[in-house]
Amino acid sequence: MTYKKPEIIKFDDTITITSSVVIFGNFDGVHLGHQSLIDELIKYGHKKTKVLITFHPHTQSIVKNSNSLKLITPYREKLKLLSTFNIDYISIINFNSSFSKLSPDQFIDSIINKYNPQTIIIGYDNNFGFKGKGNYIFLKKYLIDKNIELYQNKPFSLNNSIIKSSLIKELIKNGDIKSANSYLGRKFKLSGNITNGNKIGKKIGFPTANLKIEDKQQIIPKVGVYSVNLIVGTKKYKALCNIGYRPTFFERGKLSIESYIVNHNDLDLYNTYISLEFNFFIREEIKFNNKEGLVKQIKKDIEALNC
């Protein structure tokens, strides 16, 4: 079934909605837990306007005043994923220091004034408003005389684990890509442009595409070798990806993300926008005594792609 793409609007936009169902959150990762909340929005939004409200930048980057926050899905990717759902509007709140100081009741009032919700659905662990003082219990009391239905989305569990963005980030940082993928409901992805490298891979018979990720907040899996799918437009190639410092050739190398595309040595991807879909972790990065040892290991790694 195909749907009309939701319209992406700013929270400050002037728009008239007479009856809506609303959810709100950061939605980093758009994982299975988030998807269950969106499913509730679609369920209760029958014949009403379905509004998903999210924040940019991520609330924690402002509240904690941190540049070190890492995201599973940077803004562009998050909107792309959210746009695949059968909802009417994706409303973007420009989250800044001023907005972060709104009390829970001021925040909820702003939503009510904007979108006239008949129903609000809140995630089981959603805290909102200044210092996160707003939650389901607060909202239940606050809405009691406002003729607005309130539902709390239940935790979504898989393999006896409640799925949360923080859990998935830990899995990615630890290289447990298979588990991260199962909780995301799709394959974890890095995207960006291919840039010039040192041509070391080409010299040893395995030319690599060097990825410069498009967003500095993007979380990167732990150092090691991975099975990936390299995607260019509509084409998908089986590839081997090394995330690491290339210790065989450099004493103090910079972190690089290099992919060798199996059976396509002549593919020129320089300055091309690509994505890497991660399948599974193969091994840790190793420092070899010579390039022959590295070549031998790469051949073993390629065999592992078919496992």
Side-chain angles (χ1 to χ4, degrees), residues 175-223:
D176 189 355
I177 296 298
K178 282 188 174 180
S179 294
N181 287 349
S182 68
Y183 293 159
L184 286 169
R186 64 178 187 282
K187 291 179 180 178
F188 172 71
K189 187 161 68 174
L190 297 179
S191 299
N193 285 308
I194 297 301
T195 60
N196 264 330
N198 300 100
K199 310 292 185 185
I200 292 172
K202 189 173 184 179
K203 290 174 184 175
I204 63 173
F206 298 96
T208 58
N210 301 273
L211 178 67
K212 182 179 180 181
I213 58 173
E214 64 179 327
D215 195 307
K216 291 180 181 178
Q217 285 191 308
Q218 172 74 69
I219 192 169
I220 299 173
K222 81 166 187 175
V223 167

